[in-house]
Amino acid sequence: MLKEIGLEKVTVKSEFWNYYIRNIKEKSIPFQYKVLDNDASVKIENENKIGTFDDERSNALENLRIAAGISEGERYGTIFQDSDVYKWLEAVAYSLYTAPDKELQALAESLVDLIEKAQDEDGYIDTYFQVQEPKLRYRMIYYSHEMYCMGHLLEAAVAYHQVTGNQKILKVADKILDNLDQNFGYEDGKIKGADGHQEVEIGLLKYYELTGSKKALSLVEFLLDIRGQDPDFYKKELERNEREGLPIKYSKVPSDLYYMQAYAQPKNQRTAQGHAVRMLYMAAAMARLVVHNQDREIYEACKAIWRNIVDRKLYVTAGVGSTVHGEAFSGDYDLPNDTMYCETCASIALVYFAYEMYKFEPKVEYIDVIERALYNGILSGASIDGTHFFYVNPTEVHGAICDTNPGQGHVLYNRPQWYSCACCPPNFARTIGSVQRYFYTVDEAAQVVYGNLFAASEITCFDDQLSIVQQTSFPKQNEVSYEVKGNGKEYELRIRIPYWASNVKLELNQKVIHVPAEDGYVSFKREWQEDRLTLTFDTAVMSIRANARVIADANRLTVQKGPFVYCAEGVDNPYPLTAYRISAAAVKAAKTIGTTKDLSAVKELGIKALRIPAKVEEGGEGALYQFDTTVTFKEEELTLIPYYAWANRGTKDMMVWFHQYS
Amino acid sequence: MLKEIGLEKVTVKSEFWNYYIRNIKEKSIPFQYKVLDNDASVKIENENKIGTFDDERSNALENLRIAAGISEGERYGTIFQDSDVYKWLEAVAYSLYTAPDKELQALAESLVDLIEKAQDEDGYIDTYFQVQEPKLRYRMIYYSHEMYCMGHLLEAAVAYHQVTGNQKILKVADKILDNLDQNFGYEDGKIKGADGHQEVEIGLLKYYELTGSKKALSLVEFLLDIRGQDPDFYKKELERNEREGLPIKYSKVPSDLYYMQAYAQPKNQRTAQGHAVRMLYMAAAMARLVVHNQDREIYEACKAIWRNIVDRKLYVTAGVGSTVHGEAFSGDYDLPNDTMYCETCASIALVYFAYEMYKFEPKVEYIDVIERALYNGILSGASIDGTHFFYVNPTEVHGAICDTNPGQGHVLYNRPQWYSCACCPPNFARTIGSVQRYFYTVDEAAQVVYGNLFAASEITCFDDQLSIVQQTSFPKQNEVSYEVKGNGKEYELRIRIPYWASNVKLELNQKVIHVPAEDGYVSFKREWQEDRLTLTFDTAVMSIRANARVIADANRLTVQKGPFVYCAEGVDNPYPLTAYRISAAAVKAAKTIGTTKDLSAVKELGIKALRIPAKVEEGGEGALYQFDTTVTFKEEELTLIPYYAWANRGTKDMMVWFHQYS
């Protein structure tokens, strides 16, 4: 079993990632706090134009103050508004590893104080139910998000305690565990159901990993076992409320058990169904539980769900969730480019799932997906300036259609500053703000350290007996060196050779060596002293075809170089993006043609394309339909940029999958 | 100004159309009556899976019986359920022209009796408001469909009176007019608003054409003038009801004035907006009014709306309405093939609009669109067996996606027997059941008769002074002869030469003649005695490209032969339809390869295609994404059938626009 290396053991030196980490610290964290405190002049947008959430302000901090009895007034916002605060706190915790900051820490401490005050004596904390619907506490868990919010608080508590040693937040977590344990379980008098939105399972597992609390582990086992056992559980909840004359809220939700993965016990599920974030938070918790209890039944379910996603439901950007309806997975191979959801949180959750699977069995395909998500579908979730965020990450956008066709109304071409359902921005901050956790993984029993991502960094592992300084300007340049210092004891270092790297050359202490990659890794087992391992490689421009069953990508190609999927934006290309056609050969011959004016770090690729006439004077346009016309294609260069950097320069059109002529 | 030839003056001999006319008489009309009378064992489906209409039974006749005081019980069904009955009656009227039938007429007479009984003393008739919400009569016209239903009754009354001379139904119509006139108008005390769903304007104009009632004409002028004048009219209606403590029904609707084309006065509208059927019923009424009052302002609006549709919003099948959301038009050039609506009723309404435009100015482009709709987007609305109906007529269907992605849930690959919102089946029956009205048009002042469609038939015109027998087996064969008998007076015969006909050869009395087509017609002005005009032509297979601005059809081609657009169905082609790629040259070389087994009249086309490997053993499929693969295309024949005949053989997949390699 593998373990994360521990954030305290990693120093990030990567220029690429530090840009984001710095952005999160300097812009996102202060900005998000202001939003949560109703202190920012910010335009809050609805996340899919069909939602009906309140969108005047966040009010999340004020809600806690009201629950704490410090403020008076009306609680405001979504039922799960509290979670935004907790994700912010978690992001702050990770930021304190990379950049200690007393002022920020003081702000966080004051938040911890507030949370402690807001928590009830019995450990319960959820401002919606504390303030607005006290009678419905744990009585409508199909939609209450109570455990969802407490799960995020548990995650924040563990992270914040780990970096600061703060005891107060740990006590808050202890009390939450007690409260949950008193209320949920197979024992008589306890509720035999699980939250409609999975999340607490992850929080409890992190708490277990920190404290060793068996109670926490058992609770996760219970929650993942009870789910789906009684298909009528949520209906009965409602009926009981009705019978007892309690208010009925959000009553439509429990009708779709697939939406919340309650159609079967998790261990008996085999495909990715329903709401993508719920599905993947659950899968991440299942896999994380397996890391601790080696439950084979749950592991089989995890493997099947993983295969279903990776073989049939994964966008090339590592987006997931093909439909806005229920923010959900749809059928196999249904990967529409323009009506999809691909919520930032869903790709984040996919990374969590993949990483737990990797810890249990270190197969490189998990890292491949993590890398694909980090460099593409997650990174696209935030603007280069760090203050604007996507909820939906499409692979094709035609602004004129998004503006007029409600079926694509949820697809935006500008990142809003904030959302009424604001899960994504703080989720981005906590995930990319701790991206270094994916650089290395260790197997302490086998004394192996896995180098997964190329990213300049310094780590120590095996009780600081081994240190690795990774020097590289990747992704700018394709040379990576590892300075490994050891105590002469034997350790194995496994370096992942990505599938996109070609002409890989290795030198150990300046001598060329030939080590074949096995299962995606080159392995060096030696008694390290002061050694230097150097890798050079090429990142050729690759064309990608989708499986013939993917209707949306038929007769299309996309482009990848290194870990980056590329896209074309209207702002760089003068004709409608659909007018360009490319070939696999043209992709192979693509050239780096410069760096984008307004995005200094972003390299442009140029591909020779055949362009269909698109203007009347070129023999195109005019009538809506043309009969028996002969078209003379024009040679034209199609300019591409990495997908993650799209929508930073006011474009309205973007494509990832290009039409193909050969 | 042109006029319809009058259904009593046309005898249909066309094998192609008589198949449908007979089907309507022998199957649709009896079947639909049974459904309306809750007497058919029928599966009623919701028209778009997001609707919430009742779908247990139609109850439409029972509703009238309840209103008439003959039955007791609960009225059931949509607010506009009555209209299904009236459209049925109108279809029966047309059927009696082509096939007199005493039994059917007796059934219709009994329905007329029932309608008369259901009508209130003051002329009002609408079972929803008579039975369920009497206090809301004419008090929520933003959604009431009261005038919509009465409009359909007016149309039925005119048609049924014309064919049978029935006076009772005419009196019902007289009383409706009185009622509407007493309630709506600029005069003090009358309601200054128009129905949320346009339709009554058409009914009133037909009534005016029959009776010459100036009151009816003025009412249409009022309704088309008052619409959109006060943007708050519908809101005020609601507010008044609220103030007076009346029940509030369907209150969300008036928020979108574009949905119901009430954002501006019709004369000031320039584009097709909102609900497609409402838009086009209104446009048809506007153009029909112009035929009578030559209102230039309204005509300018009609022309602009026509251009907006034909140049930017028309599917190649003559479908309209690009989105299920509001069953509506979307933006310019937004013509998605798989998420569109293209309701059968919308194409029908487009034909109505086109025909009125044509009457005012006989430009061939109007007939081109009528023909495109009749042979494609309307005909596809019914099954070959005449008892199953589409509401949505897509141009691309992948069954596996429709089954799992709610964004395409409204797109079906099997025609249901009936709908909870059942507008389309009887609309199909009344429209195709009187298709002969489009064969010829006359200009009595100029003594010109226009032959618009190739269809075996016999007509007389100019007070029976001229008769034309058109002999042809078209579309089976491409020879058409006109036997024209006259009284020696000079008349002009203009025969439309369709844009899709090539190598046109003309003979007059067995002598080859050369008459160039002008503006789409060849003209013969002569003192007809007993003359025979013969046309032969070819129907080459044509490739069609869409304007480069049509995102959905980029890098695609479709195929037309004669008036028929072609499609490919999964049932005829063994590989995923998206795996085939064609070229314009291959389309040109396409061959008729036989007639479809289960659809004896339907010709198949074969096109040489290059097929992308779609199975693992061919080098396709396997992984979801393939990097830098070289693909060897296979030569393969793609089998096509006319679009209208799709979904009759259990297919789940269909495409109109094919991927293109050149």
Side-chain angles (χ1 to χ4, degrees):
Chain A
M1 231 67 65
L2 276 65
K3 283 178 94 166
E4 294 185 26
I5 193 134
L7 294 176
E8 72 282 5
K9 302 294 186 189
V10 190
T11 308
V12 185
K13 299 282 183 178
S14 159
E15 193 189 333
F16 184 86
W17 289 117
N18 267 338
Y19 175 83
Y20 284 93
I21 290 170
R22 215 166 27 238
N23 245 350
I24 288 165
K25 176 184 166 45
E26 292 171 8
K27 294 186 182 166
S28 306
I29 287 176
F31 168 76
Q32 291 183 7
Y33 189 85
K34 282 190 174 179
V35 172
L36 297 172
D37 204 19
N38 301 340
D39 189 25
S41 163
V42 59
K43 189 175 170 226
I44 300 183
E45 299 186 30
N46 219 302
E47 76 291 354
N48 60 21
K49 289 193 191 163
I50 57 174
T52 49
F53 291 131
D54 305 321
D55 56 4
E56 280 169 35
R57 59 193 188 280
S58 161
N59 221 55
L61 285 168
E62 188 62 13
N63 292 343
L64 280 166
R65 290 189 198 109
I66 295 164
I70 298 167
S71 279
E72 286 182 2
E74 218 177 325
R75 187 198 171 276
Y76 185 88
T78 66
I79 202 167
F80 45 83
Q81 207 85 332
D82 298 355
S83 62
D84 298 342
V85 177
Y86 307 146
K87 274 189 276 189
W88 180 85
L89 181 61
E90 190 183 344
V92 168
Y94 301 143
S95 173
L96 293 175
Y97 282 112
T98 48
D101 178 330
K102 288 203 172 149
E103 215 176 307
L104 179 61
Q105 195 170 338
L107 187 68
E109 301 281 328
S110 74
L111 174 60
V112 169
D113 293 347
L114 174 60
I115 291 168
E116 191 211 21
K117 283 202 186 76
Q119 188 175 35
D120 285 350
E121 207 40 56
D122 67 354
Y124 183 91
I125 179 165
D126 186 298
T127 67
Y128 178 80
F129 292 91
Q130 290 173 299
V131 179
Q132 289 184 245
E133 297 293 348
K135 286 187 183 165
L136 285 171
R137 198 175 281 196
Y138 292 145
R139 299 277 305 243
M140 45 173 282
I141 62 173
Y142 67 92
Y143 192 71
S144 72
H145 290 75
E146 286 159 292
M147 285 188 262
Y148 170 86
C149 289
M150 288 189 237
H152 274 303
L153 180 46
L154 284 172
E155 287 198 71
V158 169
Y160 193 71
H161 170 79
Q162 280 181 318
V163 68
T164 64
N166 184 296
Q167 289 298 323
K168 197 178 274 184
I169 195 70
L170 193 59
K171 282 210 185 108
V172 167
D174 295 341
K175 288 175 76 175
I176 287 175
L177 173 67
D178 288 342
N179 184 281
L180 292 173
D181 180 58
Q182 276 155 27
N183 282 284
F184 295 89
Y186 281 117
E187 298 82 6
D188 277 354
K190 293 187 180 179
I191 301 165
K192 283 158 201 64
D195 200 281
H197 198 319
Q198 305 88 329
E199 154 58 30
V200 74
E201 298 84 353
I202 296 174
L204 286 167
L205 284 166
K206 286 187 175 178
Y207 178 87
Y208 164 73
E209 288 158 15
L210 175 71
T211 64
S213 158
K214 293 284 174 203
K215 211 153 71 174
L217 189 68
S218 301
L219 199 49
V220 175
E221 286 173 336
F222 164 76
L223 291 169
L224 290 175
D225 195 56
I226 194 68
R227 188 175 210 89
Q229 272 198 46
D230 176 3
D232 292 330
F233 173 82
Y234 298 114
K235 221 172 71 183
K236 287 180 197 162
E237 249 195 325
L238 254 183
E239 287 167 358
R240 188 178 146 211
N241 291 348
E242 239 166 15
R243 259 199 323 274
E244 299 185 13
L246 291 170
I248 302 304
K249 303 267 172 179
Y250 309 96
S251 61
K252 268 197 164 175
V253 176
S255 62
D256 185 1
L257 295 176
Y258 282 85
Y259 172 76
M260 55 179 86
Q261 300 81 38
Y263 62 97
Q265 281 184 284
K267 68 181 175 191
N268 293 327
Q269 299 187 21
R270 290 294 178 271
T271 54
Q273 299 288 342
H275 187 274
V277 176
R278 290 171 200 239
M279 177 70 238
L280 287 162
Y281 278 179
M282 182 175 87
M286 288 162 70
R288 196 162 193 146
L289 177 62
V290 168
V291 170
H292 297 297
N293 74 359
Q294 288 84 48
D295 185 311
R296 296 307 304 188
E297 277 191 305
I298 294 183
Y299 185 57
E300 288 308 314
C302 287
K303 277 204 295 186
I305 291 165
W306 174 264
R307 286 259 65 82
N308 182 242
I309 294 171
V310 170
D311 294 346
R312 303 181 178 204
K313 295 182 175 174
L314 184 68
Y315 282 87
V316 72
T317 54
V320 277
S322 296
T323 173
V324 60
H325 300 271
E327 312 184 315
F329 285 100
S330 63
D332 290 348
Y333 303 108
D334 178 34
L335 297 164
N337 290 303
D338 50 0
T339 57
M340 30 112 85
Y341 210 58
C342 288
E343 183 180 341
T344 308
C345 288
S347 290
I348 287 172
L350 177 65
V351 166
Y352 297 169
F353 177 32
Y355 204 35
E356 299 310 314
M357 292 298 282
Y358 181 75
K359 285 186 201 160
F360 190 73
E361 190 184 8
K363 288 169 69 177
V364 78
E365 72 163 312
Y366 299 117
I367 301 297
D368 291 348
V369 170
I370 289 171
E371 181 184 72
R372 183 169 293 278
L374 289 175
Y375 281 105
N376 300 285
I378 295 176
L379 219 49
S380 65
S383 60
I384 296 282
D385 73 8
T387 59
H388 294 74
F389 305 94
F390 273 137
Y391 201 103
V392 172
N393 295 277
T395 40
E396 184 160 338
V397 175
H398 305 284
I401 298 178
C402 301
D403 288 343
T404 58
N405 189 323
Q408 294 183 33
H410 61 289
V411 179
L412 308 178
Y413 44 81
N414 278 315
R415 293 177 185 82
Q417 287 186 285
W418 200 254
Y419 292 89
S420 47
C421 170
C423 50
C424 296
N427 220 355
F428 180 89
R430 71 170 181 148
T431 303
I432 297 299
S434 62
V435 66
Q436 65 270 31
R437 76 172 76 240
Y438 304 108
F439 292 179
Y440 292 90
T441 322
V442 287
D443 183 337
E444 287 187 344
Q447 305 271 288
V448 184
V449 56
Y450 292 82
N452 295 319
L453 300 181
F454 296 141
S457 56
E458 299 175 9
I459 65 159
T460 65
C461 49
F462 307 122
D463 295 322
D464 301 338
Q465 296 302 299
L466 194 76
S467 74
I468 304 174
V469 176
Q470 186 184 158
Q471 289 173 320
T472 179
S473 63
F474 182 84
K476 263 194 189 159
Q477 279 167 339
N478 296 332
E479 183 172 333
V480 186
S481 76
Y482 298 84
E483 284 181 15
V484 189
K485 283 189 194 163
N487 57 1
K489 253 183 78 183
E490 191 181 72
Y491 296 104
E492 189 179 345
L493 172 59
R494 291 193 191 162
I495 305 285
R496 171 172 167 262
I497 305 299
Y499 62 95
W500 42 257
S502 52
N503 294 328
V504 180
K505 292 190 182 97
L506 286 166
E507 282 184 17
L508 183 62
N509 296 325
Q510 282 156 328
K511 275 187 197 155
V512 173
I513 52 167
H514 297 280
V515 183
E518 267 180 59
D519 300 328
Y521 288 91
V522 287
S523 167
F524 305 90
K525 199 170 186 175
R526 62 190 272 130
E527 290 158 6
W528 303 90
Q529 306 274 355
E530 281 206 36
D531 299 292
R532 187 184 187 86
L533 191 64
T534 306
L535 253 98
T536 60
F537 51 88
D538 292 336
T539 50
V541 182
M542 302 183 293
S543 65
I544 309 181
R545 289 177 204 280
N547 187 302
R549 291 174 190 244
V550 181
I551 298 300
D553 300 335
N555 210 25
R556 297 198 184 202
L557 293 172
T558 188
V559 175
Q560 184 173 333
K561 181 173 159 60
F564 297 107
V565 173
Y566 276 69
C567 70
E569 286 194 293
V571 70
D572 292 321
N573 297 286
Y575 298 93
L577 296 176
T578 48
Y580 297 86
R581 312 196 310 164
I582 64 171
S583 68
V587 172
K588 207 165 202 168
K591 294 272 175 284
T592 300
I593 54 172
T595 49
T596 306
K597 273 196 300 291
D598 310 305
L599 306 168
S600 58
V602 175
K603 290 254 175 67
E604 287 173 348
L605 273 184
I607 294 182
K608 272 207 183 120
L610 288 182
R611 185 175 56 75
I612 294 166
K615 292 187 174 170
V616 177
E617 63 271 23
E618 296 177 318
E621 278 190 11
L624 187 50
Y625 299 109
Q626 295 168 1
F627 295 84
D628 274 335
T629 52
T630 312
V631 164
T632 312
F633 295 96
K634 318 229 165 184
E635 273 213 14
E636 199 92 41
E637 194 168 63
L638 178 66
T639 300
L640 274 58
I641 64 163
Y643 172 74
Y644 77 87
W646 90 276
N648 278 288
R649 295 170 299 153
T651 200
K652 282 191 153 202
D653 302 308
M654 183 276 290
M655 276 176 87
V656 167
W657 288 95
F658 306 102
H659 290 297
Q660 172 189 352
Y661 62 86
S662 170
Chain B
M1 231 67 65
L2 275 64
K3 282 178 95 167
E4 295 185 26
I5 194 137
L7 294 177
E8 71 283 6
K9 302 293 185 190
V10 190
T11 308
V12 185
K13 298 282 182 179
S14 159
E15 192 190 334
F16 184 86
W17 288 116
N18 268 338
Y19 176 82
Y20 283 94
I21 290 169
R22 214 166 28 237
N23 245 350
I24 288 165
K25 175 182 167 44
E26 290 171 9
K27 295 187 182 167
S28 306
I29 287 177
F31 169 75
Q32 291 182 7
Y33 189 85
K34 282 190 173 180
V35 173
L36 298 172
D37 204 19
N38 301 340
D39 190 24
S41 164
V42 59
K43 190 176 169 225
I44 300 183
E45 299 186 30
N46 219 301
E47 76 291 354
N48 60 20
K49 290 194 191 164
I50 58 173
T52 50
F53 292 132
D54 304 321
D55 57 5
E56 280 169 35
R57 58 194 189 278
S58 161
N59 221 53
L61 285 169
E62 187 64 11
N63 292 344
L64 280 167
R65 291 189 197 110
I66 295 165
I70 297 168
S71 277
E72 286 181 3
E74 218 176 326
R75 186 198 172 277
Y76 185 87
T78 66
I79 201 167
F80 45 83
Q81 206 85 333
D82 298 355
S83 61
D84 298 341
V85 177
Y86 307 146
K87 274 188 278 188
W88 180 86
L89 182 61
E90 190 183 344
V92 168
Y94 301 142
S95 174
L96 293 176
Y97 283 112
T98 48
D101 179 329
K102 289 203 171 145
E103 213 176 308
L104 179 60
Q105 195 170 337
L107 189 67
E109 301 281 329
S110 74
L111 175 59
V112 169
D113 294 345
L114 175 60
I115 291 169
E116 190 211 21
K117 284 202 185 76
Q119 189 175 35
D120 284 351
E121 207 37 60
D122 67 354
Y124 184 91
I125 179 165
D126 187 297
T127 66
Y128 178 81
F129 291 92
Q130 291 173 298
V131 178
Q132 289 183 245
E133 295 293 347
K135 287 188 183 165
L136 285 172
R137 199 176 279 198
Y138 292 146
R139 300 276 306 241
M140 47 173 280
I141 62 173
Y142 68 91
Y143 193 71
S144 72
H145 290 73
E146 286 158 291
M147 287 187 262
Y148 169 87
C149 289
M150 288 189 236
H152 274 302
L153 180 45
L154 285 172
E155 287 198 72
V158 170
Y160 192 71
H161 170 79
Q162 281 182 317
V163 69
T164 63
N166 183 296
Q167 290 298 324
K168 197 177 275 181
I169 196 70
L170 194 59
K171 282 208 186 108
V172 167
D174 295 341
K175 287 176 75 175
I176 287 175
L177 174 67
D178 288 341
N179 184 280
L180 292 173
D181 180 59
Q182 278 155 27
N183 283 284
F184 294 89
Y186 281 117
E187 297 82 6
D188 276 354
K190 293 189 179 177
I191 300 165
K192 285 159 200 64
D195 199 278
H197 197 318
Q198 303 90 329
E199 154 59 29
V200 75
E201 299 85 352
I202 295 174
L204 286 167
L205 284 166
K206 286 188 176 177
Y207 178 87
Y208 164 72
E209 287 159 17
L210 176 71
T211 64
S213 158
K214 292 282 174 206
K215 212 154 69 174
L217 190 68
S218 300
L219 199 49
V220 175
E221 286 172 336
F222 163 76
L223 290 169
L224 289 175
D225 195 56
I226 193 69
R227 189 174 210 87
Q229 271 198 46
D230 176 4
D232 291 330
F233 173 81
Y234 298 113
K235 220 170 74 183
K236 288 180 195 161
E237 250 195 324
L238 254 183
E239 287 166 357
R240 190 178 145 212
N241 292 349
E242 239 167 13
R243 261 198 323 274
E244 300 184 12
L246 291 170
I248 302 303
K249 302 269 171 180
Y250 308 98
S251 62
K252 266 197 164 176
V253 176
S255 62
D256 185 0
L257 296 176
Y258 282 87
Y259 172 76
M260 54 178 87
Q261 301 79 39
Y263 63 96
Q265 282 183 282
K267 67 181 177 192
N268 294 325
Q269 298 187 20
R270 291 293 178 272
T271 54
Q273 299 288 343
H275 188 274
V277 176
R278 290 170 199 240
M279 176 70 238
L280 286 164
Y281 278 178
M282 182 175 89
M286 288 162 71
R288 196 163 192 145
L289 177 62
V290 169
V291 169
H292 296 298
N293 75 358
Q294 288 84 48
D295 186 309
R296 294 307 304 188
E297 276 190 305
I298 294 182
Y299 186 57
E300 289 307 314
C302 287
K303 278 204 295 187
I305 291 165
W306 174 264
R307 285 258 66 81
N308 181 244
I309 293 170
V310 170
D311 294 346
R312 301 180 179 206
K313 295 180 176 175
L314 184 68
Y315 281 87
V316 74
T317 54
V320 276
S322 297
T323 172
V324 60
H325 301 270
E327 312 183 315
F329 285 102
S330 64
D332 291 347
Y333 303 108
D334 178 33
L335 297 164
N337 290 304
D338 51 358
T339 58
M340 30 112 86
Y341 211 59
C342 288
E343 183 180 340
T344 308
C345 288
S347 290
I348 287 172
L350 177 65
V351 166
Y352 296 169
F353 177 33
Y355 204 35
E356 299 309 316
M357 293 298 282
Y358 180 76
K359 285 185 201 163
F360 191 73
E361 191 184 6
K363 287 168 68 177
V364 78
E365 72 163 311
Y366 299 118
I367 302 296
D368 291 347
V369 170
I370 289 171
E371 181 183 73
R372 184 170 293 279
L374 289 175
Y375 281 104
N376 300 285
I378 296 177
L379 220 47
S380 65
S383 60
I384 296 282
D385 73 7
T387 57
H388 294 74
F389 306 94
F390 272 138
Y391 201 104
V392 172
N393 295 276
T395 41
E396 184 161 337
V397 175
H398 304 285
I401 297 178
C402 301
D403 289 341
T404 58
N405 189 323
Q408 294 184 33
H410 61 290
V411 179
L412 308 179
Y413 44 80
N414 277 317
R415 293 177 184 82
Q417 287 187 287
W418 201 253
Y419 292 90
S420 47
C421 171
C423 50
C424 295
N427 220 355
F428 180 91
R430 70 171 180 146
T431 303
I432 296 300
S434 62
V435 66
Q436 65 269 33
R437 77 172 76 239
Y438 305 107
F439 291 0
Y440 292 92
T441 322
V442 288
D443 184 336
E444 286 186 346
Q447 304 272 287
V448 184
V449 56
Y450 292 80
N452 295 319
L453 299 181
F454 296 141
S457 56
E458 299 175 9
I459 66 158
T460 66
C461 50
F462 307 122
D463 294 322
D464 300 338
Q465 297 301 299
L466 194 75
S467 74
I468 304 174
V469 176
Q470 186 185 158
Q471 290 173 318
T472 179
S473 63
F474 182 84
K476 264 195 190 157
Q477 279 168 336
N478 296 334
E479 183 171 334
V480 186
S481 77
Y482 298 85
E483 283 181 16
V484 189
K485 283 191 192 159
N487 56 1
K489 253 184 81 182
E490 190 181 73
Y491 295 104
E492 188 179 346
L493 172 60
R494 291 192 191 163
I495 305 285
R496 171 171 167 264
I497 305 299
Y499 63 94
W500 42 258
S502 52
N503 295 328
V504 179
K505 293 193 182 94
L506 287 166
E507 282 184 19
L508 183 62
N509 297 325
Q510 282 155 327
K511 275 188 197 155
V512 172
I513 53 168
H514 296 280
V515 183
E518 266 180 60
D519 299 330
Y521 287 91
V522 287
S523 168
F524 305 90
K525 199 171 189 175
R526 63 188 271 130
E527 291 158 5
W528 303 90
Q529 304 275 356
E530 281 206 36
D531 299 294
R532 185 184 188 85
L533 191 65
T534 306
L535 255 96
T536 58
F537 51 87
D538 292 337
T539 50
V541 183
M542 302 183 294
S543 66
I544 309 181
R545 288 176 205 281
N547 187 301
R549 290 174 191 245
V550 181
I551 298 299
D553 300 335
N555 210 26
R556 296 198 186 202
L557 293 172
T558 188
V559 175
Q560 185 172 333
K561 180 173 159 62
F564 297 107
V565 173
Y566 276 70
C567 71
E569 286 194 294
V571 71
D572 293 321
N573 297 285
Y575 297 93
L577 296 175
T578 48
Y580 297 86
R581 311 195 311 165
I582 63 172
S583 68
V587 172
K588 208 167 203 164
K591 294 271 175 286
T592 301
I593 53 172
T595 48
T596 306
K597 273 196 300 289
D598 310 306
L599 306 168
S600 57
V602 175
K603 291 254 174 68
E604 287 174 348
L605 274 183
I607 294 182
K608 274 208 182 117
L610 289 182
R611 185 175 56 74
I612 294 166
K615 292 186 175 171
V616 177
E617 63 270 23
E618 297 179 315
E621 280 192 10
L624 187 51
Y625 300 110
Q626 294 168 1
F627 295 85
D628 274 335
T629 51
T630 311
V631 164
T632 312
F633 295 96
K634 316 229 166 184
E635 273 212 16
E636 200 92 42
E637 195 169 62
L638 179 66
T639 300
L640 274 57
I641 64 163
Y643 171 73
Y644 77 86
W646 89 277
N648 279 289
R649 296 170 297 154
T651 198
K652 283 191 153 198
D653 301 310
M654 184 275 291
M655 277 176 85
V656 167
W657 288 94
F658 305 103
H659 290 297
Q660 173 189 352
Y661 61 88
S662 171

